[in-house]
Amino acid sequence: MKKYIKYILSLLLLTVVLNSCEVDRTEAIFEEAPSDRIQKNIEELRTLLLSQSQGFSGVYFPNNSVVGGVNFHMNFTEDLRVKITSDFKSNTELTDTRYDVVTGTTAAELVFTSGSRHITDLIQDGAQGFNTFYGGNSFQYVGEENGVITFKEVRSDGVFVISPSGFTDFETESVASADITYTNREVFTEVDCETASVYDNLVLAVDNAGQSTNYILNYDSTNFFFDAGTTDEEGVSSRQGLGVAFTLIDGEQAILISPALEVGGNSFENFILDSESDKVQYVASVNGATATISQTSLSAPTGEDIMDLPGSIYVYDVADGTNPLLSPCFRDLVIEQINTNLDNRFGAGTLKFSFYYLFLNLEGGCSNLAIFLEDANGGLYRANYCIVANIESNTVFFDYLGPYSGSNDAFFEENLQPLMDFFSGPQGLLYTNEGSFSASINSYLNASGSFTSLDTPSLRSYGYFFP
Amino acid sequence: MKNIKNIILVNLVLGFLLLGSCSESSDTIKESQIDTSTPILSDLDIWLRSNFVAPYNIEISYLWGASDTDIARFLYPINENGVERWSETIRNAWIEPYNQLGGHDFIANITPRQLVYSGGFNYNPNSPTITLGVAEAGTRITFFNLDFLDYSNEENIRQPLRTLHHEYAHILNQKIPFSDDYGLITPGDYTAQWFNVSDQEALDLGFITPYASSQPGEDFVEIVANMLTNSKEGFDAIVSTASPTGQAYIRQKQEIVVAYFQENFAIDLYELQELTYQALLDSLD
């Protein structure tokens, strides 16, 4: 009996002693308490932000799956104020607002706590209705390496990378830099509609040890975004989105894309303007391979899709937003010209173009081009016009016969003539199926298509079909 | 017995040794791990402390990050240049009138503890509407789109003040509920699809606004909000555009609202209306 009592006593004592160590074994993993580690993280970021008397410069990609990047210049001071400029909009004047470094969910966060428009314009452009660039005002501190500080925006997975500005006078040089990069961004959007063609495409050409890969780039100037499409040797097509930032790298004009383009084991990200070229082109060189972004003339499509229309009612609606397939010249020379005509006749903003339906008839009768105008109170006015289709060599020709029905038709005819002229050009239109409809505001499963004028190849309308 | 004593002794010695080895990694608390340092205060912060925190026990929250709000919505804080003027406006058009009629500490006793200022719009997902303000648990009111205030435009300033009076009436209702009889005046016309109801349709059905037709609680506070942001003549003019039936319903509701304020808070709502509307006019450029 005594023997058993000895064993039981021994085991009980050992269990008590060993259990008392359990908590400490877990604690030994970290040298500091969690709150101390977070506080240290906060102090580290505060010190970094205040370490540069001339501030930081960097590019913020709020959401590189749908939009591009914006250049920022920021100078932080100890009284928790920050001067900021950016090139998101043409007004690059510095703002002077508040910031803070606070405890985030897992790390220190840099928060722009009062509303600098350079930050808030990316979050929500309220003046333009609900229109976000997916930005935020709270940024998790990821880390610092060689002076480069990386942040992550929680909501949209945005990436913000800043480094010392290198300026000698932040106040003037930051604004000047933002003005330069803002202007550089226009290089892909300034188009001479008289001479341009929608078949002059931006192309990203990769030359990797003699092996070439070409990506056709549709550039969305509203969202600074490339829709890059390519076809491999086996004829398989693929597409990917690339956020774009026009920036300066070591003082040279450059394009930064995000995510980086991976081709043949090389990663292309920074494209520098080739100042010796006689045309605008940006070049990235990695491990002997080069990738070049430039305007290149491509052959026009065959137009045979006109024989395979996915529906009979074709719609273009301004309210759906933009798509690279809707050419800027179509917006300027057709839609905006109609709005100008209406303003001149009825007063500014009284009526504006809203949408058109084209009820297609390829059997020789009238196709009804129904144009809808909207007044300042949202009231709609419809006018109908007859255009007769004739298809030859995969090109569709429309003859304009005049008003179709209703009293509005003749009343508005002169004002709406640019759209009738677009459809009835003597050299005809090339039609192309474009897959499901996608635009910056609305996207639908409906099949879409584009009509390109062969008289003025800079004009291309993009819309969707009802069956 | 001697053996047992030896075993206990050996174990105790062993235990002390092991416990001693554990003691190095234990965490001793030497000072607070919470940051208790005094925050950096701007002139604006000091002004807000003097004019809202001290007299009314109300915090004005105008500096905040995404994680302080609904992260699913693209919201952002007000531009600090607009903070002082909007704060003065609500003090003059809300706090002072209530205090004047309800007693010196009326607002301090029944008040939201925090007012949050948001610069941008609060768009509702999957709905063609925006949220103008939010009152949470009677302690916090959030205002939206304050960066777009235009003090030269009466209607533009009326809107956020209407939001304030609307949300504050909710807080009063949380303290003292209104009579269930109110919901029986137009019981069949409340609808979750209120945003499909036009202004005129709402009036004809006996609601002062389309949002009032969403539920009795909103209906009640919409009467309050619209009375306190219009003159008596202005409110009567709105009601007069309703159908005869609609006018009768709205007047019945108005009577209950006026009685609610008189009986529960000894406030003459018409007198309050004069003060709040005059303050609205005085806030304009």
Side-chain angles (χ1 to χ4, degrees), chain A residues 21 81 115 124 137-138 155, chain B residues 22 66 71 73-74 80 121:
Chain A
C21 289
R81 299 201 72 84
Q124 179 193 119
N137 72 331
S138 300
R155 174 170 43 208
Chain B
C22 297
I71 201 164
R73 302 193 179 204
F74 288 85
E80 63 184 321
F121 292 83

Side-chain angles (χ1 to χ4, degrees), chain B residues 6-207:
Chain B
N6 287 340
I7 288 168
I8 291 172
L9 189 64
V10 168
N11 272 302
L12 283 172
V13 170
L14 192 63
F16 279 122
L17 285 173
L18 284 168
L19 283 170
S21 69
C22 297
S23 65
E24 278 183 28
S25 60
S26 66
D27 211 9
T28 54
I29 299 174
K30 295 172 182 170
E31 58 190 28
S32 172
Q33 294 174 338
I34 298 169
D35 182 3
T36 55
S37 59
T38 307
I40 296 173
L41 297 178
S42 66
D43 291 345
L44 177 59
D45 294 328
I46 293 166
W47 184 86
L48 289 171
R49 284 191 171 198
S50 303
N51 288 278
F52 284 86
V53 178
Y56 310 121
N57 199 15
I58 295 173
E59 179 199 0
I60 304 287
S61 176
Y62 72 99
L63 302 169
W64 45 267
S67 54
D68 296 317
T69 61
D70 184 348
I71 201 164
R73 302 193 179 204
F74 288 85
L75 303 172
Y76 59 81
I78 186 175
N79 185 300
E80 63 184 321
N81 293 334
V83 172
E84 186 169 333
R85 185 160 187 186
W86 174 240
S87 300
E88 284 180 333
T89 301
I90 63 177
R91 181 181 61 189
N92 298 337
W94 166 54
I95 295 175
E96 292 302 334
Y98 266 100
N99 278 356
Q100 190 176 328
L101 298 182
H104 183 262
D105 291 327
F106 187 88
I107 290 289
N109 287 330
I110 310 173
T111 189
R113 295 296 163 215
Q114 188 182 47
L115 301 179
V116 181
Y117 291 180
S118 176
F121 292 83
N122 185 358
Y123 290 89
N124 295 316
N126 307 317
S127 166
T129 58
I130 58 173
T131 297
L132 297 171
V134 175
E136 294 165 72
T139 59
R140 179 160 111 153
I141 294 178
T142 304
F143 299 97
F144 301 101
N145 47 287
L146 293 180
D147 280 356
F148 298 89
L149 293 183
D150 175 2
Y151 287 94
S152 66
N153 182 328
E154 180 180 333
E155 185 54 37
N156 193 273
I157 301 304
R158 191 193 327 276
Q159 177 261 311
L161 284 176
R162 196 161 46 209
T163 301
L164 172 61
H165 288 299
H166 172 113
E167 301 299 352
Y168 188 59
H170 275 311
I171 289 171
L172 293 176
N173 288 167
Q174 285 165 6
K175 186 167 179 64
I176 303 177
F178 60 87
S179 165
D180 290 340
D181 292 345
Y182 190 95
L184 300 177
I185 297 172
T186 51
D189 291 319
Y190 291 109
T191 172
Q193 303 298 311
W194 60 270
F195 46 81
N196 290 328
V197 178
S198 71
D199 289 353
Q200 191 58 52
E201 286 168 343
L203 286 162
D204 292 344
L205 289 170
F207 301 106

Side-chain angles (χ1 to χ4, degrees), chain A residues 178-195:
Chain A
D179 286 338
I180 290 170
T181 50
Y182 178 84
T183 305
N184 290 350
R185 203 165 64 217
E186 303 298 306
V187 71
F188 288 160
T189 51
E190 284 177 346
V191 178
D192 180 353
C193 293
E194 296 299 318
T195 58

Side-chain angles (χ1 to χ4, degrees), chain A residues 108-119:
Chain A
E109 275 185 9
L110 167 63
V111 183
F112 296 95
T113 48
S114 65
S116 161
R117 61 185 160 71
H118 292 293
I119 296 291

